[in-house]
Amino acid sequence: MMEKQDNNVESQTDVLIIGAGPSGLMAAYWMARCGIRARIVDKRRTKVFTGQADGLRMRTMELFDSMGFQHRVQQEGHVAVEANFWVPDGKGGLVRQGPHCSSKVNESPFRHMLLNQGRIERFLLDSIKQHSDLKIERGTIAECFEYNKDMEDDPSGYPITVKLRSRSENEANPPGLDRTGTSSDPVANELNQGNLNPDDWDDFTQKSQSEQSQTEFIKAKYLIGCDGAHSWTRKKLNIPLQGESTDHVWGVIDVVPISDFPDIRRLGTVAHESGTILVIPRERNLVRLYVPVQTIEDATTVNGRFNRSQVTLGVIKRRVQTIFAPYTFDFRICDWWTAYQVGQRIAPTFTKGNRVFLAGDAVHTHSPKVGLGMNMSMQDGFNIGWKVALVAGGVATPSILGTYDAERHRLAEMLLEFDRHWSGFFTEGEKDSKTQNMIKVVELFEDFADGRRSFYGASELVWKVDGSEGPSTARHLIPGERFPPVKLRMQADGNLRWTTRLFESDGRFRIVILAGDVREKRQMERVVTLTQYLSGSDPKTRSVLQRYAPIMGRFDCAVDIMAIHSGSWTEVEFFDFPKILRPFDPVTGWAYDKIWCDDACVWNRNCDGKGYEKWGVDRMRGAVLVLRPDQYIGWVGELEEVNDMISYLDGVLVRTVACDRP
Amino acid sequence: MMEKQDNNVESQTDVLIIGAGPSGLMAAYWMARCGIRARIVDKRRTKVFTGQADGLRMRTMELFDSMGFQHRVQQEGHVAVEANFWVPDGKGGLVRQGPHCSSKVNESPFRHMLLNQGRIERFLLDSIKQHSDLKIERGTIAECFEYNKDMEDDPSGYPITVKLRSRSENEANPPGLDRTGTSSDPVANELNQGNLNPDDWDDFTQKSQSEQSQTEFIKAKYLIGCDGAHSWTRKKLNIPLQGESTDHVWGVIDVVPISDFPDIRRLGTVAHESGTILVIPRERNLVRLYVPVQTIEDATTVNGRFNRSQVTLGVIKRRVQTIFAPYTFDFRICDWWTAYQVGQRIAPTFTKGNRVFLAGDAVHTHSPKVGLGMNMSMQDGFNIGWKVALVAGGVATPSILGTYDAERHRLAEMLLEFDRHWSGFFTEGEKDSKTQNMIKVVELFEDFADGRRSFYGASELVWKVDGSEGPSTARHLIPGERFPPVKLRMQADGNLRWTTRLFESDGRFRIVILAGDVREKRQMERVVTLTQYLSGSDPKTRSVLQRYAPIMGRFDCAVDIMAIHSGSWTEVEFFDFPKILRPFDPVTGWAYDKIWCDDACVWNRNCDGKGYEKWGVDRMRGAVLVLRPDQYIGWVGELEEVNDMISYLDGVLVRTVACDRP
């Protein structure tokens, strides 16, 4: 037992999140959204303002849209979808190969974007504040951990005890200069306050209130450890990181470059016999460069590890100058820089007893050069966040928690595989075929990397049909994959919305009826039959909307029902549809946002009425599917396969008491 | 002279703005952007949160883009570009005519949107805060006014003296319930705090600090009166509002309707023999209805004016029910409502001595049903704002201030003319041809109403060429009109930007070189010749960039130079261009944002490379133009007509001392 002094606070929470970086904040978003009793702590005194991660893949942008703030990224970020590969021209110069652009770039409303992690944290924090009173407790360190395995299977038990200590003012920790010793932390951080966004100012000047260190013993039902590469949580669970480090040392700099290199503001690589630089243009004239510095053999090692103090900003600059030659390179403004040693490591498991979970860098570390780290971490936090929130809220059955490790571990392995292929290019010597090989690797992994495919396997949350593709009724709606985004028109008001925003991340599962061409009487009859079943018109059943537990304080039911028809917007009326698709409330009247239309719109090019084609669904007959709260497809079938669909939902959602009785 | 007591504060400011509604905040934006010493006061204790205006026309959205916050409107607002006209079907029912959509809807990146004034004020306030320390002084009343005509022509003089009094806590004034008696103010305001956006909360709970009333005598160089229909400023200037009121009384309600009317969520009209209702769908399930209530003959009048207390929410509701029949209508939630009497009134002049200016409702009042009031008011404030800011900042010559009245008075007259035509439809009886006549009036006025055309006349700020259209070299670039928006690619980084955002409202005039196809040697030579002149390579001249005064603390020169070429993005290089288009700074390196390309982009449908066609400019030869700080075209010509262009700039901008010497 931990030693508990009389003056220590004891408390309880349903969910404790350790670490308020991108993955921790994504998990915290779900607690805020679903009204879960939760705490989130971070050892640092402030959020990140500069440096760190900066790449945002298509799928991350889609998730941001479902969370309500992708427009802020669009406004501030830099789009980078075309890459140029610069290689020696054999005459002492460099020559451009490219630009290369993915053929799949238009398969999402969003593009690959670059914006520093500090801004992403800003948007996440603002979103959490908008939905709840959940505050990040900064300057707070987790120190002791106890886990009572006997309570593991009792959903009402608190098997986890953690001692938290808030750091006093006296424990020096200047903002942005955390020297806690992880190899991915900055060596030095030349934070330029003039570069600070005005809406970050309050956080930057914020000080911890406590003058003395305070401790608290907190008991939790669930713990999510998002505490980075040197995760305290992971160590307490005795889960190792497996893998190895290469002997290559890299420098990363965020600078406002002074360079006559023609593509200094374009995504690309610059190859040299001694290694390859990756160029990443960013917001506010910043450019990030990943620079191969040296191998361990050249460097002094301390206890077998590379002595990072040998890499200075000057060393990195001179390396860039060498590789960029004959082009010039210099800078006066450096926003952030660091040096790191590449390693690919992964934890064998991401959970203990499905009560403690690890996410992000805590369970997978790799080179940052694939521009995927923050995306993978955020998607980890997003994945475990909704599952823990719904289970802790009594909405979903605890068994779904096992899908976190199953779904995300496999992707972390793919991440490391991609990184092994990709990183090799930056240290190997120059070859004629290198650019083509690089493009081949990008194309091999891009569905995974961009998040167009997630490869989530079969589980209670993913009911696979025969084969790995979608069913014949909806060829491109594949259980375990994302719903291919389409811009739709709301039947009632004619406004347009991408499905990524329409399927808002609010905690609910969604039954999406692709109603087909409801102008045809026989098709409308099929829709009516389905909705009658869902409405519980059969006296032996109840409405689906009364069958499952509510998300307390947010929604009466954890399932939402929507329809997307394929008829002409002007030839169909809102009141043509069955009542369950236009639910009536005595205070707010009819809900107008359940019925949508896949029809072209004359005043918006992106609304082209080709959703059904994109989904591989017959425009007359339609189909029906269940989307998980994270917009991944859980179940797909024909309009008549409603019993099967209810079985899917029964397997993951807690039923109301009335329904639980036979 | 005003009586000055010893304990009264005396102070000076360059610009005093009275009224912090949409027009006052637009003017204040410019003071914030250009770093002008300014004050802005408002008699109300808080900003508006609900009700009031809600329509945003295309041009207003374009201006918001240049100010950096149109994306926030897009995220929250409701698009309404298709209108349905419901008329009696002759059998006791109603029948839909429509939807009608403007053929010109795609001539802007933005659509007609609906969002309440409170949110617009929020975005303006956030933008002002981002650029300066300028604070709105609320609960502050202007009480005495003195104008010293002798100082009128002295730019360094302070001809205006105003006594300001901050209202004490004891002067009751609950937020959102200002009963100061203007006919457009709310009769009652059922503010629903649950409907408040989280980012408005601080403003809503804000209290005036002063317990006692305080007074201050403030001297100002310029005064902008944006104090509404019953403008104190206008009265002090003895400028009347001319025109008349009709005898029709209207109710306006913002409600969450409970109605089976099929188009309750669509823009449209519902006609009845006793008058026509205008239906305006809005954000967060709100719908605004403009309802003809009664004529003055039916009502009790007090001192010849309509007794507003007779119109209750119940009266308005019953009128809607009558007109909507056989469809139902009711509501439980009313966000805001008011009653008003229609009048078209205009001030004969908008200025006194070009030192005091009036904007918005202070100089034109009309029915709100054309959805133009807030747009016109904001565009007034925008127009006078940049002019006063640049003159007060010593950047522009005071003579440009005369263009405010010339440009905006004419538009206010058009507004009233449109309103007279349009409002008539809502009170006249039902006719067969009415819908067609309504569409005709909309089409007659839509260029003006949407802001596609501004009709600004010739002045030192607008150098007209022969005829009223553009020159042969740029047929659709018409001096006095807006620059037709196009999505362009930045040459250096390939990112895309609408010109509406590219030409940021930062106070600078812009020389825009439509450089033509610079892949052709002879065309590039023409561009080089022009830029050599602009760079001052002739020893007798100086660079244009050194010729004009700076915007102190913001820009070294009040003129920016940009180029938009028509070549292929991949066949042209950044360093191909003359130095003045890629200015070098020893700290930040080359500026990359001056050279743009009108070329199609594979990953964005809106970037179609058809800008030159839209502008009526030959893709080979190009043209050159000067944009005013408000994105209106000031001057257009051939690349060789640079002397003429410099004469234009010399006429409006203050030259540096070195240049003023012959």
Side-chain angles (χ1 to χ4, degrees):
Chain A
M1 277 296 286
M2 291 183 214
E3 182 197 352
K4 290 178 194 175
Q5 293 170 305
D6 282 349
N7 60 343
N8 285 325
V9 182
E10 285 189 46
S11 59
Q12 281 188 341
T13 189
D14 285 353
V15 181
L16 174 63
I17 300 169
I18 298 180
S23 54
L25 290 175
M26 286 295 259
Y29 164 86
W30 282 110
M31 306 311 144
R33 243 1 254 269
C34 299
I36 303 303
R37 201 167 57 132
R39 302 274 295 273
I40 174 167
V41 301
D42 196 291
K43 65 184 177 187
R44 292 168 301 186
R45 282 220 188 286
T46 65
K47 69 185 277 291
V48 158
F49 298 100
T50 60
Q52 313 289 349
D54 59 8
L56 295 167
R57 297 281 187 158
M58 182 207 89
R59 181 60 186 160
T60 304
M61 293 294 292
E62 293 178 2
L63 297 183
F64 286 175
D65 200 27
S66 77
M67 300 163 82
F69 55 80
Q70 69 78 19
H71 64 300
R72 299 184 69 183
V73 181
Q74 298 274 4
Q75 183 75 1
E76 295 186 23
H78 184 94
V79 177
V81 296
E82 289 154 304
N84 290 288
F85 302 87
W86 287 78
V87 297
D89 66 0
K91 296 172 281 187
L94 291 165
V95 62
R96 178 197 284 138
Q97 295 179 338
H100 173 75
C101 184
S102 164
S103 61
K104 298 181 178 175
V105 69
N106 289 324
E107 289 187 17
S108 170
F110 311 113
R111 307 284 167 268
H112 187 190
M113 297 202 75
L114 298 162
L115 185 63
N116 92 69
Q117 178 177 331
R119 296 307 295 162
I120 309 307
E121 292 188 9
R122 170 82 278 141
F123 305 151
L124 278 162
L125 289 167
D126 288 350
S127 180
I128 289 168
K129 186 179 173 193
Q130 193 184 344
H131 293 293
S132 75
D133 296 327
L134 184 62
K135 292 267 187 309
I136 318 302
E137 300 167 47
R138 300 198 184 272
T140 300
I141 305 169
E143 294 197 326
C144 303
F145 172 82
E146 251 182 34
Y147 183 72
N148 186 341
K149 195 169 165 37
D150 295 342
M151 291 188 190
E152 199 168 86
D153 297 327
D154 170 16
S156 63
Y158 293 80
I160 299 146
T161 308
V162 172
K163 180 181 167 190
L164 298 176
R165 184 168 62 84
S166 62
R167 298 159 89 179
S168 70
E169 281 293 342
N170 301 329
E171 296 180 68
N173 181 28
L177 196 58
D178 190 324
R179 295 289 296 272
T180 46
T182 75
S183 65
S184 59
D185 279 351
V187 175
N189 184 337
E190 322 230 336
L191 188 67
N192 180 342
Q193 296 187 16
N195 260 342
L196 206 64
N197 280 65
D199 58 357
D200 266 346
W201 191 252
D202 286 347
D203 277 299
F204 184 71
T205 54
Q206 181 191 33
K207 293 265 183 257
S208 171
Q209 298 301 313
S210 60
E211 302 218 344
Q212 281 192 300
S213 162
Q214 292 182 325
T215 57
E216 173 185 3
F217 288 88
I218 187 165
K219 288 184 169 294
K221 287 182 177 171
Y222 299 95
L223 171 62
I224 307 178
C226 305
D227 43 354
H230 294 255
S231 168
W232 172 89
T233 314
R234 192 191 69 243
K235 287 170 187 161
K236 290 291 160 187
L237 298 177
N238 288 317
I239 296 174
L241 273 189
Q242 297 170 336
E244 51 196 46
S245 294
T246 67
D247 58 356
H248 291 94
V249 178
W250 290 81
V252 193
I253 50 176
D254 282 355
V255 299
V256 178
I258 303 173
S259 169
D260 62 5
F261 175 61
D263 282 359
I264 193 69
R265 293 286 315 155
R266 295 180 186 179
L267 181 69
T269 60
V270 184
H272 183 266
E273 58 189 15
S274 68
T276 297
I277 285 177
L278 180 60
V279 180
I280 299 178
R282 281 252 303 277
E283 77 281 0
R284 296 179 297 121
N285 295 321
L286 292 169
V287 174
R288 169 167 295 187
L289 300 174
Y290 286 102
V291 185
V293 177
Q294 57 190 347
T295 58
I296 295 293
E297 293 95 79
D298 309 327
T300 313
T301 55
V302 177
N303 298 330
R305 282 190 66 82
F306 157 65
N307 178 2
R308 227 172 19 155
S309 66
Q310 288 192 328
V311 181
T312 65
L313 197 51
V315 166
I316 298 172
K317 182 166 86 173
R318 284 189 293 279
R319 279 290 289 159
V320 179
Q321 287 168 336
T322 302
I323 294 174
F324 269 33
Y327 296 112
T328 62
F329 177 81
D330 203 345
F331 56 84
R332 297 282 176 281
I333 297 171
C334 176
D335 219 38
W336 179 83
W337 73 277
T338 189
Y340 66 94
Q341 190 178 354
V342 176
Q344 280 105 11
R345 294 165 182 270
I346 187 170
T349 177
F350 291 3
T351 181
K352 181 178 182 70
N354 287 328
R355 302 300 288 240
V356 185
F357 303 91
L358 299 166
D361 289 353
V363 279
H364 42 73
T365 66
H366 54 92
S367 114
K369 282 186 297 295
V370 291
L372 253 176
M374 180 162 63
N375 296 271
M376 287 295 288
S377 293
M378 285 195 289
Q379 288 173 31
D380 284 353
F382 196 79
N383 189 299
I384 191 56
W386 74 262
K387 292 170 184 172
V388 165
L390 292 192
V391 172
V395 174
T397 59
S399 65
I400 69 166
L401 296 172
T403 64
Y404 170 66
D405 184 83
E407 291 180 350
R408 299 304 300 175
H409 197 277
R410 182 176 178 183
L411 288 190
E413 285 171 348
M414 294 173 79
L415 168 64
L416 265 58
E417 192 188 345
F418 182 24
D419 187 41
R420 270 189 293 269
H421 279 82
W422 183 247
S423 292
F425 291 119
F426 292 81
T427 48
E428 74 175 20
E430 187 46 32
K431 295 181 208 158
D432 277 354
S433 56
K434 184 160 155 178
T435 298
Q436 287 315 309
N437 289 339
M438 289 179 93
I439 291 173
K440 268 184 209 157
V441 165
V442 166
E443 288 177 349
L444 191 64
F445 284 93
E446 71 175 348
D447 276 347
F448 151 71
D450 288 341
R452 267 187 296 276
R453 291 211 56 178
S454 66
F455 306 96
Y456 289 169
S459 71
E460 55 261 69
L461 280 172
V462 175
W463 282 25
K464 293 281 185 190
V465 285
D466 297 341
S468 64
E469 295 305 300
S472 58
T473 185
R475 294 186 313 284
H476 308 136
L477 299 179
I478 305 166
E481 297 298 337
R482 92 197 216 280
F483 185 80
V486 164
K487 198 158 201 171
L488 300 174
R489 294 201 89 174
M490 197 193 288
Q491 183 61 42
D493 70 13
N495 268 227
L496 309 182
R497 197 154 287 185
W498 284 104
T499 48
T500 44
R501 184 172 172 203
L502 174 59
F503 302 139
E504 190 177 349
S505 288
D506 59 16
R508 289 182 292 178
F509 283 72
R510 284 189 175 83
I511 297 173
V512 182
I513 303 170
L514 303 177
D517 194 339
V518 291
R519 293 172 296 187
E520 292 294 321
K521 189 158 169 275
R522 282 181 51 195
Q523 180 63 15
M524 184 58 107
E525 281 169 3
R526 293 181 69 214
V527 174
V528 168
T529 303
L530 166 61
T531 58
Q532 277 172 348
Y533 189 98
L534 296 176
S535 309
S537 57
D538 177 342
K540 281 178 292 182
T541 64
R542 284 172 77 102
S543 166
V544 165
L545 299 177
Q546 295 169 309
R547 188 175 177 89
Y548 302 111
I551 301 178
M552 289 297 289
R554 308 292 159 118
F555 298 103
D556 290 341
C557 179
V559 175
D560 192 22
I561 302 176
M562 309 182 76
I564 304 168
H565 72 83
S566 65
S568 157
W569 180 65
T570 54
E571 293 173 29
V572 173
E573 298 288 342
F574 174 75
F575 284 104
D576 293 346
F577 286 83
K579 281 185 180 172
I580 202 168
L581 292 169
R582 43 185 178 83
F584 183 81
D585 178 278
V587 173
T588 59
W590 281 280
Y592 293 101
D593 59 350
K594 310 294 183 195
I595 304 168
W596 295 76
C597 173
D598 177 35
D599 190 13
C601 171
V602 69
W603 48 268
N604 189 294
R605 294 188 196 192
N606 289 314
C607 182
D608 59 7
K610 296 194 174 146
Y612 274 65
E613 287 73 10
K614 203 170 276 181
W615 303 323
V617 173
D618 184 276
R619 288 194 80 85
M620 177 57 73
R621 287 187 55 80
V624 62
L625 64 144
V626 178
L627 287 180
R628 314 179 343 171
D630 55 3
Q631 303 192 339
Y632 289 91
I633 298 166
W635 179 94
V636 187
E638 293 263 13
L639 270 56
E640 285 72 20
E641 297 179 90
V642 61
N643 276 320
D644 199 52
M645 180 175 74
I646 298 297
S647 299
Y648 169 87
L649 292 170
D650 282 356
V652 294
L653 290 174
V654 172
R655 273 180 280 171
T656 50
V657 177
C659 289
D660 257 359
R661 292 181 188 143
Chain B
M1 277 296 284
M2 289 183 217
E3 181 197 355
K4 290 178 192 174
Q5 294 169 306
D6 282 351
N7 60 344
N8 284 326
V9 182
E10 284 188 48
S11 59
Q12 281 188 342
T13 189
D14 286 354
V15 181
L16 174 63
I17 300 169
I18 298 180
S23 54
L25 290 175
M26 286 295 261
Y29 164 87
W30 283 109
M31 307 310 146
R33 247 356 257 268
C34 298
I36 304 303
R37 201 167 57 131
R39 302 271 297 272
I40 175 167
V41 300
D42 196 290
K43 66 183 176 188
R44 292 168 299 186
R45 283 221 187 286
T46 65
K47 69 184 276 291
V48 158
F49 298 100
T50 60
Q52 312 288 350
D54 59 7
L56 295 167
R57 297 281 186 158
M58 184 207 88
R59 181 61 186 159
T60 304
M61 292 295 292
E62 293 178 1
L63 297 182
F64 285 175
D65 200 28
S66 77
M67 302 164 81
F69 56 80
Q70 69 78 17
H71 64 301
R72 299 183 70 183
V73 181
Q74 298 274 3
Q75 184 75 3
E76 295 186 22
H78 184 94
V79 177
V81 294
E82 290 155 303
N84 290 289
F85 302 86
W86 286 78
V87 296
D89 65 0
K91 294 173 280 186
L94 290 164
V95 63
R96 178 197 284 136
Q97 296 178 337
H100 172 76
C101 183
S102 165
S103 62
K104 298 181 178 176
V105 68
N106 290 323
E107 289 187 17
S108 170
F110 311 112
R111 306 285 167 269
H112 186 191
M113 297 201 74
L114 298 162
L115 184 64
N116 92 69
Q117 178 177 332
R119 296 308 295 161
I120 308 308
E121 292 188 10
R122 169 84 278 140
F123 305 152
L124 278 161
L125 290 167
D126 287 351
S127 181
I128 288 167
K129 186 180 174 192
Q130 192 184 345
H131 293 292
S132 76
D133 296 326
L134 183 61
K135 292 266 188 308
I136 317 303
E137 300 167 46
R138 300 196 185 274
T140 301
I141 304 170
E143 293 197 328
C144 303
F145 174 83
E146 251 183 33
Y147 183 72
N148 185 341
K149 196 167 166 39
D150 295 343
M151 291 189 190
E152 199 168 85
D153 296 327
D154 171 14
S156 63
Y158 294 79
I160 298 146
T161 308
V162 172
K163 179 180 168 191
L164 297 176
R165 183 168 63 84
S166 62
R167 297 159 91 178
S168 71
E169 281 292 342
N170 301 329
E171 296 180 66
N173 181 27
L177 196 58
D178 190 321
R179 294 291 294 273
T180 45
T182 76
S183 65
S184 60
D185 280 349
V187 175
N189 185 338
E190 323 229 336
L191 189 68
N192 180 344
Q193 296 187 16
N195 260 343
L196 207 65
N197 280 66
D199 59 358
D200 266 346
W201 192 252
D202 286 348
D203 276 299
F204 184 70
T205 55
Q206 182 190 30
K207 292 266 181 254
S208 171
Q209 298 301 312
S210 61
E211 301 218 345
Q212 281 192 299
S213 165
Q214 291 181 325
T215 57
E216 173 185 2
F217 287 88
I218 187 164
K219 288 185 170 293
K221 287 183 178 171
Y222 299 95
L223 171 62
I224 307 178
C226 305
D227 43 353
H230 293 255
S231 169
W232 172 88
T233 315
R234 194 193 67 241
K235 287 171 189 161
K236 289 291 161 189
L237 299 177
N238 289 317
I239 296 175
L241 274 190
Q242 297 168 336
E244 53 196 46
S245 294
T246 67
D247 58 356
H248 291 93
V249 178
W250 291 79
V252 194
I253 51 177
D254 282 356
V255 298
V256 177
I258 303 173
S259 169
D260 62 5
F261 176 60
D263 282 0
I264 193 70
R265 293 287 315 156
R266 296 180 186 179
L267 182 69
T269 59
V270 184
H272 184 266
E273 59 190 15
S274 67
T276 296
I277 285 177
L278 180 60
V279 180
I280 299 178
R282 280 253 303 279
E283 77 280 0
R284 296 179 296 121
N285 295 320
L286 291 170
V287 175
R288 170 167 294 187
L289 300 174
Y290 287 102
V291 185
V293 176
Q294 56 189 349
T295 57
I296 294 293
E297 294 96 79
D298 308 329
T300 313
T301 54
V302 178
N303 298 330
R305 280 189 68 81
F306 157 64
N307 177 5
R308 227 167 23 150
S309 67
Q310 289 194 326
V311 180
T312 64
L313 197 50
V315 165
I316 298 172
K317 182 167 88 174
R318 284 189 292 278
R319 279 290 289 158
V320 180
Q321 287 168 335
T322 301
I323 294 174
F324 269 32
Y327 296 112
T328 61
F329 177 80
D330 204 344
F331 57 83
R332 297 282 176 282
I333 297 171
C334 176
D335 222 36
W336 180 81
W337 72 275
T338 190
Y340 67 94
Q341 188 177 356
V342 176
Q344 280 106 10
R345 294 164 182 270
I346 187 170
T349 177
F350 292 3
T351 182
K352 181 179 181 70
N354 288 328
R355 302 300 288 241
V356 184
F357 302 91
L358 299 166
D361 290 352
V363 277
H364 41 73
T365 65
H366 53 91
S367 115
K369 283 185 297 295
V370 292
L372 252 176
M374 180 163 62
N375 297 271
M376 287 295 289
S377 294
M378 286 195 289
Q379 289 173 32
D380 284 351
F382 196 79
N383 189 299
I384 191 57
W386 74 263
K387 292 170 184 173
V388 165
L390 291 192
V391 172
V395 174
T397 58
S399 67
I400 69 166
L401 296 173
T403 64
Y404 170 66
D405 184 82
E407 292 180 348
R408 300 305 299 175
H409 197 277
R410 183 176 179 183
L411 288 190
E413 284 170 349
M414 293 173 80
L415 168 64
L416 265 57
E417 192 188 345
F418 182 24
D419 187 42
R420 270 189 292 269
H421 279 83
W422 183 248
S423 292
F425 290 122
F426 291 82
T427 47
E428 73 175 22
E430 186 49 29
K431 295 181 208 158
D432 276 354
S433 57
K434 184 160 157 178
T435 298
Q436 287 315 309
N437 290 339
M438 289 179 93
I439 291 173
K440 268 184 209 157
V441 165
V442 166
E443 288 178 348
L444 191 65
F445 284 93
E446 71 174 348
D447 277 347
F448 150 73
D450 288 341
R452 268 187 296 276
R453 292 213 56 181
S454 67
F455 306 96
Y456 288 169
S459 70
E460 55 261 70
L461 280 171
V462 175
W463 283 26
K464 292 280 184 190
V465 285
D466 296 341
S468 64
E469 295 305 301
S472 58
T473 185
R475 294 186 312 285
H476 307 137
L477 299 180
I478 304 166
E481 297 298 336
R482 90 198 217 281
F483 186 79
V486 163
K487 199 159 201 169
L488 300 174
R489 294 201 89 174
M490 198 194 287
Q491 183 61 40
D493 70 12
N495 267 228
L496 311 182
R497 198 155 288 184
W498 283 104
T499 49
T500 44
R501 184 173 171 202
L502 174 59
F503 302 138
E504 190 177 347
S505 288
D506 58 16
R508 289 183 294 178
F509 283 71
R510 285 189 173 82
I511 297 173
V512 181
I513 303 171
L514 303 178
D517 194 340
V518 292
R519 293 172 296 187
E520 292 294 323
K521 188 160 169 277
R522 281 181 51 197
Q523 179 64 14
M524 184 57 108
E525 283 168 4
R526 295 181 66 214
V527 173
V528 168
T529 303
L530 166 62
T531 58
Q532 278 172 347
Y533 188 98
L534 295 176
S535 309
S537 58
D538 177 343
K540 281 179 291 182
T541 64
R542 287 171 77 102
S543 166
V544 165
L545 298 177
Q546 296 169 307
R547 188 175 178 88
Y548 303 111
I551 302 179
M552 290 298 289
R554 309 291 159 119
F555 297 102
D556 291 342
C557 179
V559 175
D560 192 22
I561 302 177
M562 311 183 75
I564 303 168
H565 73 82
S566 64
S568 156
W569 181 66
T570 55
E571 294 173 28
V572 173
E573 299 287 342
F574 174 75
F575 284 102
D576 293 345
F577 286 84
K579 281 185 181 171
I580 202 168
L581 292 170
R582 42 184 180 85
F584 183 81
D585 177 278
V587 173
T588 59
W590 282 280
Y592 295 101
D593 59 350
K594 311 292 184 197
I595 304 168
W596 295 77
C597 173
D598 176 35
D599 190 13
C601 171
V602 68
W603 47 268
N604 189 295
R605 296 188 195 191
N606 289 314
C607 183
D608 58 8
K610 296 195 174 148
Y612 274 64
E613 287 72 10
K614 203 171 277 185
W615 304 322
V617 173
D618 184 276
R619 288 194 80 85
M620 176 59 72
R621 288 187 54 81
V624 62
L625 64 145
V626 178
L627 286 181
R628 315 178 343 171
D630 55 3
Q631 303 192 339
Y632 288 90
I633 297 166
W635 179 93
V636 187
E638 292 263 13
L639 267 57
E640 285 72 20
E641 297 179 89
V642 63
N643 277 320
D644 198 52
M645 181 175 74
I646 299 296
S647 300
Y648 169 88
L649 291 170
D650 282 355
V652 295
L653 290 174
V654 172
R655 273 181 279 172
T656 52
V657 177
C659 288
D660 258 357
R661 291 181 190 140

